[in-house]
Amino acid sequence: MLKSALTAFALFGFAAVAHAQAGGCPTPGALSGEWQGMYTQGDGAVPFDLRLREATREIAGSIVEPNAIGDLSQSLFLTATFTGTRQGCQINFVKTYSGLGGQNHSVTYQGTVDRTGNRITGVYEGGAGRFDLVRLP
């Protein structure tokens, strides 16, 4: 069973790469949907859920994450909204916390969308940390 699973994974991986090379970056609007990810903070990682809407080159959405930076007595989770742009495979956005947990600051993200449109990786605050997002089915 493991051998057939590995074979299927290898074939799926090859198909995705072949499609990516022929297809270039995802078309505008293709990133809309539900995503899960994480960002690094110190020696750890903070998971988060992201809902993304894309129209032409504009992106916007909402984020929910465990409260890893705010006052836990106020809230166990933090919420934020974000707005930004995508040009080709490059994505830039600013996340602004809603005030829950005493957090209401903004964080700048820059990343790259993979050619399949199912993963986004990059940095926040000019390289202070990294983030990784994967599209949910």
Side-chain angles (χ1 to χ4, degrees):
M1 171 136 174
L2 178 60
K3 184 177 179 183
S4 63
L6 290 173
T7 302
F9 178 77
L11 290 173
F12 176 78
F14 175 77
V17 170
H19 172 69
Q21 291 173 348
C25 295
T27 59
L31 300 184
S32 293
E34 303 288 326
W35 297 72
Q36 282 188 332
M38 64 73 137
Y39 65 85
T40 60
Q41 173 136 4
D43 292 334
V46 178
F48 63 96
D49 293 330
L50 183 141
R51 177 172 285 165
L52 188 148
R53 293 179 314 277
E54 182 184 26
T56 314
R57 291 190 285 179
E58 304 294 318
I59 62 169
S62 59
I63 296 172
V64 176
E65 63 189 63
N67 186 350
I69 59 174
D71 183 350
L72 285 172
S73 69
Q74 291 184 18
S75 179
L76 295 177
F77 293 91
L78 301 177
T79 60
T81 57
F82 67 91
T83 59
T85 60
R86 176 167 74 99
Q87 186 167 9
C89 289
Q90 300 304 307
I91 190 168
N92 298 289
F93 63 93
V94 176
K95 171 174 77 172
T96 303
Y97 287 100
S98 68
L100 283 177
Q103 299 301 306
N104 59 7
H105 65 282
S106 296
V107 181
T108 302
Y109 286 76
Q110 300 87 34
T112 303
V113 179
D114 77 353
R115 293 186 185 282
T116 67
N118 292 317
R119 189 169 191 176
I120 304 170
T121 57
V123 298
Y124 67 89
E125 290 302 321
R130 301 197 56 74
F131 75 95
D132 190 2
L133 285 162
V134 177
R135 182 193 299 274
L136 294 176

